[in-house]
Amino acid sequence: MKKQLAKAVEIGVETLNYWVISYALSSMTMVFRADWLFVLFFASNVWLIGRYYDRTAAVLDSRKWAVPVCALAFAAFVLFVYRVGLVQGSVMPFAQRN
């Protein structure tokens, strides 16, 4: 029972980390969508999805159960972004000192 609870807590923490980091990367991807830095943030987000899947598969000891868990986490993230939106903004240079 303790092992199952520990696995659930670890997957919960990994999912929360995935959501927070993916939200930040997605927001930065949209801010830099007209710049070459777009590629950097997009690639980092793709890497994060792969890392989340690998970590979930390792915790669950099953790749077949990791797929639906990751799909549910991704769907919940997409629903959150759809309801709340991404951070809006523009790139501004650092202030110059006189």
Side-chain angles (χ1 to χ4, degrees):
M1 186 67 170
K2 281 187 177 183
K3 264 188 170 178
Q4 290 177 338
L5 182 61
K7 285 183 179 185
V9 168
E10 188 168 356
I11 288 176
V13 169
E14 288 289 334
T15 301
L16 186 62
N17 284 337
Y18 164 69
W19 284 339
V20 169
I21 297 169
S22 188
Y23 185 76
L25 288 172
S26 297
S27 294
M28 293 308 293
T29 299
M30 290 299 108
V31 168
F32 288 108
R33 67 183 167 267
D35 199 280
W36 65 271
L37 286 174
F38 165 85
V39 175
L40 175 69
F41 291 108
F42 182 77
S44 297
N45 210 356
V46 170
W47 172 84
L48 179 66
I49 293 169
R51 185 202 170 280
Y52 176 67
Y53 171 76
D54 288 341
R55 189 67 195 128
T56 304
V59 169
L60 292 175
D61 296 325
S62 170
R63 292 203 176 269
K64 99 176 162 180
W65 284 107
V67 171
V69 169
C70 290
L72 285 173
F74 184 74
F77 174 72
V78 169
L79 182 64
F80 174 77
V81 170
Y82 177 74
R83 300 286 294 165
V84 175
L86 293 171
V87 175
Q88 299 291 319
S90 61
V91 180
M92 297 181 65
F94 289 108
Q96 294 181 3
R97 293 186 171 199
N98 293 330

